Amino acid sequence: MLQIAPELYDEVLSAYDLGEGTITHTPYGEGHINNTNLVTVTGKDTRRYILQRINTDIFTDPSALMKNICGVTSYLKEIIAKRGGDTTRETMTVVYTRDRKPFYTDSTQGVWRIYPFIEHTICLQQCRNIRDFYTSARAFGQFQKNLAGYDASTLHETIPDFHNTPDRLRKFKEALAADVMHRAADIKEEITFVLNHEADCSYMTDLLSAGKLPLRVTHNDTKLNNILLDDQTNDAVCIIDLDTVMPGLAANDFGDSIRFGANHNAEDEPDLSKVNFSLELFEAYTKGFLEVAGDALTPLEIETLPWGAKLMTLECGMRFLTDYLEGDHYFATHRPGQNLDRTRTQFKLVHDMEEHWDEMNTIVRNYTK
Ligand code: ADP
Ligand code: GN1
Ligand code: MG
């Protein structure tokens, strides 16, 4: 993980007017991509902010990325205002620099942004109960519906081929052939798992190329820790982490949530006996997502939701394994072997989904109007 000199924080924070008070900052959250910090300004009142150094190895055009986020959040604010909601709480707000820019480039070329911290919320790494997952399904479904009218042609593709599963397979094979860390010999089982699933990888992209599935404006990173819930009512408050809002498939947003949340253990749980795909959680998410977004989706989009779940899980496992082979430079890791543990949980979930494939399809049919 990139080390940031303490003086740099002073430089960055002084580019913003965060009001009177003493400023402190501390690393925050469990995102895998950006460097996230909680900034507290203690004065007459206390204000908190999220300060992020954008990962520019991954997001190579931060200016275009911030344009996407400013565009999407302004659009969402209009929708929220129209229905009398709280525009400061129900979507993110970009804090501008003193010279009115949505991000700050520091003297080492690091790129930073600030959002007000959305107070009285919680961010879950695993769902505590069925209701949390059902709530998140409705919120992600609503997010997609809210953006249905957003002009996709104005969106910059922040990571090209982000959920292009055949391309992820190609990148995995390249990493395997290069084997720069000499790790391939230890992961024979995982390599076989990927190669046995080669034919599956293009299922959704083939339907898209054939014009049978529409591209929509989607979030593309719908895991449970990218949503904030009210700490009193446990209702959904705000969808966060908008870096990957781009045209995509509805089933992929559905599927990525299932990948992360329809399981009672962590994404990097080393003990695979604890990792089990939960049909009960799958059903709760399907119910919530289709209740809200179902009428906006085509019959084939609904029918292929289980494919979204399976392929997002397989794809994410391949991405973790690719990163493991390449030396763990994409996803933040905090211990050796973490990306391999993450890979194994994903492949275990794919295996479980295959065992429950008929039930998954039946559940989707049962919640189709
Ligand atoms: P990453 O892209 O690295 O996942 P995120 O944008 O998801 O980064 O932020 C990481 C974590 O920071 C989130 O999971 C959440 O806990 C917290 N977070 C981000 N933005 C806010 C916000 N505006 N208010 C409260 N918490 C936030
Ligand atoms: C990353 O940014 P974060 O931590 O919410 C990744 C997702 C993966 C996820 C796996 C931009 O999500 O695609 O599914 O890790 N985000 C990016 O946990 O690559
Ligand atoms: Mg995140």
Side-chain angles (χ1 to χ4, degrees), residues 31-32 221 223 225-226 241:
H32 295 338
D221 189 3
K223 60 184 187 179
N225 65 12
N226 286 331
D241 201 347

Side-chain angles (χ1 to χ4, degrees), residues 151-219:
D151 182 358
S153 70
T154 62
L155 278 173
H156 166 72
E157 198 177 356
T158 54
I159 304 180
D161 291 314
F162 190 56
H163 285 319
N164 180 344
T165 313
D167 194 60
R168 294 291 187 182
L169 174 67
R170 182 187 63 74
K171 287 173 178 148
F172 163 75
K173 286 183 178 171
E174 265 178 27
L176 181 59
D179 193 20
V180 290
M181 305 298 290
H182 308 292
R183 288 176 170 175
D186 307 331
I187 53 163
K188 291 213 172 74
E189 227 179 286
E190 289 74 20
I191 295 169
T192 306
F193 190 88
V194 174
L195 299 179
N196 285 343
H197 285 82
E198 178 151 10
D200 286 346
C201 288
S202 55
Y203 188 84
M204 295 297 278
T205 43
D206 283 352
L207 291 173
L208 175 67
S209 317
K212 293 182 179 163
L213 287 174
L215 270 184
R216 300 189 183 276
V217 176
T218 48
H219 182 282

Side-chain angles (χ1 to χ4, degrees), residues 70-80 146-151:
C70 291
V72 165
T73 51
S74 308
Y75 184 82
L76 291 175
K77 279 179 197 297
E78 278 175 32
I79 294 178
I80 295 163
N146 286 347
L147 289 179
Y150 194 79
D151 182 358

